[in-house]
Amino acid sequence: MNGLALPSRFDALEAAIAGALMIVALACGVFAGRKFGPTAAELWKTHVAHHGEGLWERMPAIIRHGTAALIAAIVMAAYGWSTWGGLPIGIALGSAAALTGHQVLRGLGMPRWAGWLVAVVLFVALFSRAVGGLDAITSTLDGVGVDIGRRRLSLLAIITALLVIVVIVAVVRLANRVVSHAISRTQTLDATQKLLGQKLATIAIVVAAFFFSIDLLGIDLTAFAVFSGALGLAVGFGLQKTVGNLIAGIILLMDRSIKPGDVIVVGDSFGWVNKIGVRAVSVITRDGKEHLIPNENLMTQEVENWSFSDRNVRVRIPVAVSYDCDLRLAQELMFAAAKESPRVLSSPKPNVWLTAFGNDGVEHEILAWISDPESGVGNVRSDVLNRLWWKFKEAGIAIPFAQRDIYVKEWPRGPLTVGGDGSPEASTA
């Protein structure tokens, strides 16, 4: 009565068959997610991208929705379904594909709006394709827009551009994590070469993704010719330090003079290198503070690298003893205190040097070697001196301190009197 065409008996039967097949597809997806999801998550976490990767946690859901979408797509392509038959297929296929895309993007750390954007676009596109109405939607979206010169800026072009950008960024993140993890698992490269390979791979992936997206969006590269001069000036003036730090970081990784794990001293900053970034080197001190030192500073300033060629570091501990003590016994106790300290190496063995006969006592220096300078050197000195203190106490060896003797050559001849200003004066009577 209202002009709506009701489905015929054949259309209803076709829709029922398609609905039953979609129920089977969803059931297969649930089975695959429960059966293979945990195994796939563990394999992904272990062999692909376990470092900070959130995709493995969503792997069962991705397999569940992805399997259902794959079976629904096969069913849709295997037979020429009518509009009523394609209705349940479009709902199931669009929903499963939308949930799959949303889970993948959220697992890669993409914003929530990007995940929902891709999900909505996938659902609308696949559902419209199943019921035969995709051309009508694209033509409608393309009709809403304005002409700018020789190009047309339509709602369809904006949605397509956003979708391409989101997908390209997601692919770049996934490729970076997979390639970085593959390089980190390589046994033939050291830590510095692995970090350099990861940085170069990241740059290559970003550059390739940029040109691919430009070609995919159909943007003419000659349009950027106007901005090339401004970009050159920006690099020459405003971005000079940024580009310099980037190049300095690559040089540091190539010559391997500073690498993650090294213990360095730059000015007043002492600590171990946590990571070498694009702009700065992260140095963590013993106080737990993280200093970000620009890469250029490490190229132009004097840097002490305690573990450049050898991780062994010698710690000097000054000690002084009294002149009237048993010097040989005191030196033996110094050697024993250093040898008993847990972090002091037995090879090279510690040593005790007599350095000077000082004003207050006999000055010595305990030389002890450690192999973990990133754990600090002050605690080694404290441990050795604490052990030495009790050993000196038991042996009766005194530790000297500053003393001054005053010799009076001549006392005043007469008795002292108090002057008018309150100060003592010698009487001349």
Side-chain angles (χ1 to χ4, degrees):
M1 293 175 62
N2 296 319
L4 298 176
L6 296 177
S8 63
R9 181 177 300 178
F10 180 79
D11 291 337
L13 179 62
E14 189 177 282
I17 295 175
L21 291 176
M22 291 303 99
I23 294 176
V24 173
L26 295 176
C28 292
V30 172
F31 173 78
R34 294 180 178 178
K35 181 69 175 178
F36 306 107
T39 304
E42 188 64 28
L43 290 175
W44 186 275
K45 179 181 178 181
T46 306
H47 298 287
V48 180
H50 67 84
H51 49 288
E53 175 63 70
L55 199 60
W56 66 273
E57 298 176 347
R58 302 172 181 264
M59 195 59 66
I62 293 174
I63 292 179
R64 179 172 65 251
H65 301 312
T67 302
L70 179 61
I71 296 176
I74 294 174
V75 171
M76 185 179 69
Y79 180 76
W81 302 93
S82 64
T83 301
W84 290 100
L87 182 63
I89 297 177
I91 295 175
L93 176 59
S95 300
L99 291 175
T100 303
H102 183 267
Q103 292 289 339
V104 171
L105 293 179
R106 292 298 293 160
L108 292 174
M110 298 293 292
R112 192 179 299 274
W113 65 266
W116 286 116
L117 172 66
V118 173
V120 170
V121 171
L122 283 175
F123 178 80
V124 173
L126 294 176
F127 177 77
S128 302
R129 176 70 179 274
V131 298
L134 183 60
D135 293 337
I137 293 179
T138 55
S139 60
T140 301
L141 293 176
D142 189 52
V144 180
V146 294
D147 294 327
I148 302 177
R150 292 179 298 177
R151 300 187 63 86
R152 178 170 178 78
L153 182 62
S154 63
L155 190 58
L156 177 63
I158 295 175
I159 295 176
T160 303
L162 288 175
L163 186 64
V164 169
I165 292 173
V166 170
V167 172
I168 290 296
V169 172
V171 171
V172 168
R173 288 191 177 187
L174 179 61
N176 280 335
R177 295 179 181 183
V178 173
V179 172
S180 298
H181 185 69
I183 294 175
S184 65
R185 292 174 58 88
T186 304
Q187 302 295 331
T188 57
L189 302 177
D190 58 19
T192 305
Q193 293 172 337
K194 290 178 182 179
L195 186 57
L196 177 61
Q198 291 171 353
K199 298 297 182 184
L200 295 179
T202 300
I203 295 174
I205 291 173
V206 171
V207 172
F210 172 76
F211 285 106
F212 180 77
S213 60
I214 289 297
D215 182 69
L216 192 62
L217 294 174
I219 299 177
D220 190 3
L221 289 178
T222 57
F224 295 97
V226 179
F227 303 100
S228 60
L231 181 62
L233 291 176
V235 172
F237 292 98
L239 300 179
Q240 181 180 3
K241 290 293 184 181
T242 303
V243 176
N245 285 323
L246 173 62
I247 297 175
I250 295 176
I251 294 175
L252 288 176
L253 292 173
M254 292 181 65
D255 66 4
R256 302 169 61 185
S257 58
I258 296 175
K259 51 188 179 295
D262 284 353
V263 179
I264 64 173
V265 179
V266 183
D268 296 333
S269 300
F270 163 77
W272 59 279
V273 179
N274 182 28
K275 64 179 180 179
I276 300 178
V278 176
R279 186 190 66 84
V281 173
S282 171
V283 178
I284 299 180
T285 65
R286 288 289 298 161
D287 298 330
K289 299 178 181 178
E290 189 167 0
H291 293 185
L292 298 179
I293 304 175
N295 294 331
E296 271 192 332
N297 292 1
L298 300 179
M299 295 288 296
T300 57
Q301 296 183 8
E302 181 179 350
V303 180
E304 293 182 16
N305 192 339
W306 288 16
S307 51
F308 177 61
S309 58
D310 190 0
R311 293 189 59 82
N312 291 349
V313 174
R314 189 166 66 177
V315 181
R316 298 175 178 269
I317 308 172
V319 177
V321 294
S322 176
Y323 275 102
D324 57 358
C325 72
D326 187 346
L327 195 60
R328 184 171 299 175
L329 176 61
Q331 293 174 352
E332 291 176 356
L333 294 178
M334 295 179 199
F335 179 79
K339 189 175 181 181
E340 294 173 2
S341 184
R343 287 184 56 199
V344 174
L345 300 178
S346 57
S347 178
K349 65 179 182 179
N351 201 355
V352 177
W353 285 359
L354 193 155
T355 57
F357 296 106
N359 295 328
D360 301 317
V362 184
E363 298 178 359
H364 293 78
E365 201 168 48
I366 302 175
L367 306 178
W369 291 87
I370 61 174
S371 59
D372 52 349
E374 66 275 4
S375 299
V377 294
N379 48 9
V380 177
R381 293 193 183 98
S382 176
D383 182 69
V384 173
L385 291 176
N386 271 290
R387 295 174 185 273
L388 187 59
W389 170 265
W390 295 110
K391 291 182 180 296
F392 279 177
K393 282 288 186 180
E394 294 174 359
I397 297 176
I399 298 177
F401 54 90
Q403 301 182 42
R404 297 293 181 265
D405 295 331
I406 300 177
Y407 297 93
V408 179
K409 292 185 177 180
E410 183 179 0
W411 288 101
R413 297 179 182 178
L416 294 177
T417 60
V418 179
D421 57 353
S423 60
E425 294 180 353
S427 176
T428 57

